[in-house]
């Protein structure tokens, strides 16, 4: 294989910031690339790989490290290493790296382990490279979860479900628009009424809520909050307005949905706090549009309702089901 072909094959494992991945960068020593170019025809031994690392200014590794990452399928590892890309069964019975794909498989595992359980890949290599077999096995065994103990916990108290299409209403933007309490009209309603009066003052006729919120009055008087109002009123944007009474009725219909969703979200937050000591998964995200909320809700439902996880009754924080008192 030519130099550029090898670099392309190995680009996933090359870092621009130096460290362990630098030995597979464009400035890599030609000796390394020449040897890797013959790898599919000539097996790469542990001694030779250590030499290649030396050419790349990396410290050597132990026999145990080489065997663990390239010549074995450790049953005690936290994940099934045979599911890692490129794996071939014959590698677990070999004495050397048999192909470029074989080299990539071991590196892939090391990179996952470094990112999952150590600060970074370079730090992981420095930590693992001199370990003995029993030390590597013990290290990763400790990072496995006892799934039977998790199953034995049983389910937590149920959350209050919110229709996926209404989960955007638990957002901070919606809370600011509708206010904290049903009996105190939110600023969205005030803005709509003011915009309607300005529209009528200019002898304007029937108009949609969208056009009111996207119009010049809102843009001028509520410029910093225009996007927030449009987001919060998404359910009624295409509703026609011919009077202040129309605004009141359309707003009330939207507000009812908001407070129903918000109260459910607040109750769910209480539930999450009650199990914070046993929370298994915290889903962190940023949701800025209604579609973001839909996508995240579907993603959480897809992942955590999977039949392969059902028996674990995982306690996971779903950000589309939780609201905070502070906003």
């Amino acid at each position: 294989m030519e130099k550029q072909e090898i670099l392309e094959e190995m680009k996933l494992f090359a870092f621009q910031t130096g460290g362990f991945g630098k030995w597979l960068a464009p400035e890599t020593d030609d000796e390394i690339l020449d040897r890797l170019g013959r790898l599919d025809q000539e097996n790469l031994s542990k001694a030779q790989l250590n030499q290649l690392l030396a050419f790349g200014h990396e410290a050597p590794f132990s026999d145990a490290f080489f065997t663990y990452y390239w010549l074995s399928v450790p049953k005690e590892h936290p994940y099934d290493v045979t599911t890692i890309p490129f794996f071939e069964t014959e590698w677990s019975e070999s004495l050397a790296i048999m192909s470029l794909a074989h080299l990539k498989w071991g590196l892939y595992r090391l990179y996952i382990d470094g990112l999952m359980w150590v600060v970074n890949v370079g730090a992981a290599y420095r930590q693992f490279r001199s370990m003995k077999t029993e030390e590597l096995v013990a290290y990763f065994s400790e990072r496995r979860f006892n799934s039977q103990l998790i199953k034995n916990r049983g389910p937590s108290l149920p959350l209050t479900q919110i229709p996926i299409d209404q989960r955007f209403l638990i957002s901070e933007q919606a809370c600011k628009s509708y206010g904290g309490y049903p009996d105190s009209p939110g600023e969205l309603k005030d803005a709509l009424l003011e915009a309607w009066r300005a529209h009528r003052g200019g002898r304007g006729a029937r108009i949609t809520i969208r056009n009111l919120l996207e119009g010049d009055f809102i843009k001028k008087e509520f410029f910093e909050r225009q996007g927030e109002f449009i987001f919060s009123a998404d359910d009624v944007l295409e509703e026609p307005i011919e009077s202040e009474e129309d605004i009141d009725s359309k707003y009330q219909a939207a507000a009812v949905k908001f407070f129903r969703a918000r109260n459910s979200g607040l109750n769910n937050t209480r539930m999450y706090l009650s199990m914070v000591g046993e929370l298994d998964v915290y889903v962190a995200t940023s949701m800025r549009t209604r579609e973001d909320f839909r996508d995240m809700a579907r993603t959480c439902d897809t992942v955590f309702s999977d039949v392969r996880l059902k028996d674990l009754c995982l306690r996971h924080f779903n950000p589309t089901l939780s609201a905070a008192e502070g906003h």
Side-chain angles (χ1 to χ4, degrees):
M1 294 179 70
E2 297 295 325
K3 174 179 178 178
Q4 205 53 46
E5 291 179 283
I6 297 171
L7 291 175
E8 181 65 24
E9 277 284 321
M10 304 299 289
K11 66 181 180 181
L12 177 64
F13 309 103
F15 298 156
Q16 302 301 317
T17 55
F20 184 78
K22 194 175 181 181
W23 71 288
L24 291 171
E27 60 272 21
T28 294
D29 189 296
D30 286 341
E31 195 71 47
I32 297 174
L33 297 175
D34 288 344
R35 182 61 186 90
L36 295 183
R38 304 194 307 274
L39 182 49
D40 286 343
Q41 293 79 40
E42 183 182 335
N43 290 355
L44 182 68
S45 68
K46 174 250 182 180
Q48 289 180 2
L49 181 54
N50 263 334
Q51 285 182 282
L52 298 186
L53 286 172
F55 290 136
H57 308 290
E58 278 295 342
F61 51 75
S62 66
D63 289 340
F65 176 88
F66 183 67
T67 299
Y68 192 85
Y69 277 100
W70 279 283
L71 309 182
S72 65
V73 178
K75 301 299 183 184
E76 303 84 359
H77 209 73
Y79 57 85
D80 183 354
V81 301
T82 67
T83 63
I84 299 303
F86 317 114
F87 175 73
E88 296 288 343
T89 305
E90 62 179 330
W91 297 341
S92 62
E93 299 176 357
S94 65
L95 298 176
I97 296 174
M98 303 175 67
S99 63
L100 202 59
H102 190 175
L103 175 64
K104 289 161 65 175
W105 175 67
L107 288 174
Y108 209 120
R109 289 174 51 196
L110 174 62
Y111 280 41
I112 290 175
D113 295 348
L115 295 174
M116 286 285 288
W117 293 292
V118 193
V119 178
N120 55 49
V121 176
Y125 178 71
R126 290 189 293 274
Q127 181 174 341
F128 300 152
R129 70 179 183 84
S130 58
M131 281 186 174
K132 299 176 182 178
T133 300
E134 56 269 25
E135 291 174 326
L136 286 165
V137 170
Y139 179 90
F140 287 109
S141 292
E142 291 174 0
R143 281 149 183 81
R144 300 181 71 187
F145 291 96
N146 188 323
S147 56
Q148 190 56 52
L149 286 180
I150 295 175
K151 292 177 183 178
N152 291 345
R153 295 179 309 180
S156 57
L157 293 172
L159 297 170
T160 304
Q161 288 304 306
I162 303 171
I164 286 179
D165 216 38
Q166 293 179 21
R167 295 192 190 180
F168 77 108
L169 293 171
I170 59 98
S171 68
E172 181 178 2
Q173 292 185 78
C175 184
K176 288 179 177 178
S177 295
Y178 290 101
Y181 304 96
D183 56 355
S184 57
E187 294 178 57
L188 170 59
K189 183 177 181 180
D190 293 339
L192 284 170
L193 288 171
E194 290 182 40
W196 168 254
R197 289 163 188 160
H199 174 71
R200 289 293 290 163
R203 299 189 180 280
R206 175 173 169 155
I207 188 173
T208 64
I209 288 179
R210 178 188 295 279
N211 288 336
L212 277 180
L213 292 176
E214 292 180 350
D216 292 338
F217 180 84
I218 296 292
K219 190 176 296 183
K220 178 182 178 182
E221 300 297 327
F222 298 92
F223 175 74
E224 293 185 352
R225 303 189 64 185
Q226 184 179 35
E228 168 201 319
F229 289 154
I230 293 172
F231 169 86
S232 303
D234 193 69
D235 263 349
V236 293
L237 286 177
E238 308 310 326
E239 294 288 344
I241 299 298
E242 296 184 8
S243 66
E244 291 190 12
E245 289 74 19
D246 284 344
I247 289 178
D248 184 67
S249 64
K250 306 301 183 186
Y251 174 86
Q252 284 304 123
V256 166
K257 292 181 180 179
F258 163 74
F259 284 107
R260 185 184 300 127
R262 177 168 171 75
N263 289 336
S264 295
L266 291 173
N267 182 65
N268 288 338
T269 299
R270 290 182 66 247
M271 288 295 181
Y272 283 131
L273 291 174
S274 72
M275 58 176 156
V276 68
E278 289 192 327
L279 200 63
D280 299 308
V281 183
Y282 183 90
V283 180
T285 185
S286 175
M287 298 173 291
R288 300 186 182 280
T289 68
R290 187 174 190 177
E291 195 57 35
D292 288 342
F293 278 84
R294 291 180 178 126
D295 288 343
M296 180 51 58
R298 294 188 193 104
T299 297
C300 287
D301 288 351
T302 298
V303 171
F304 296 106
S305 64
D306 191 290
V307 293
R308 291 168 292 183
L309 298 178
K310 185 176 180 180
D311 290 345
L312 296 175
C313 298
L314 290 179
R315 293 146 170 78
H316 67 281
F317 173 78
N318 183 332
T320 71
L321 289 175
S322 175
E325 287 281 6
H327 58 67

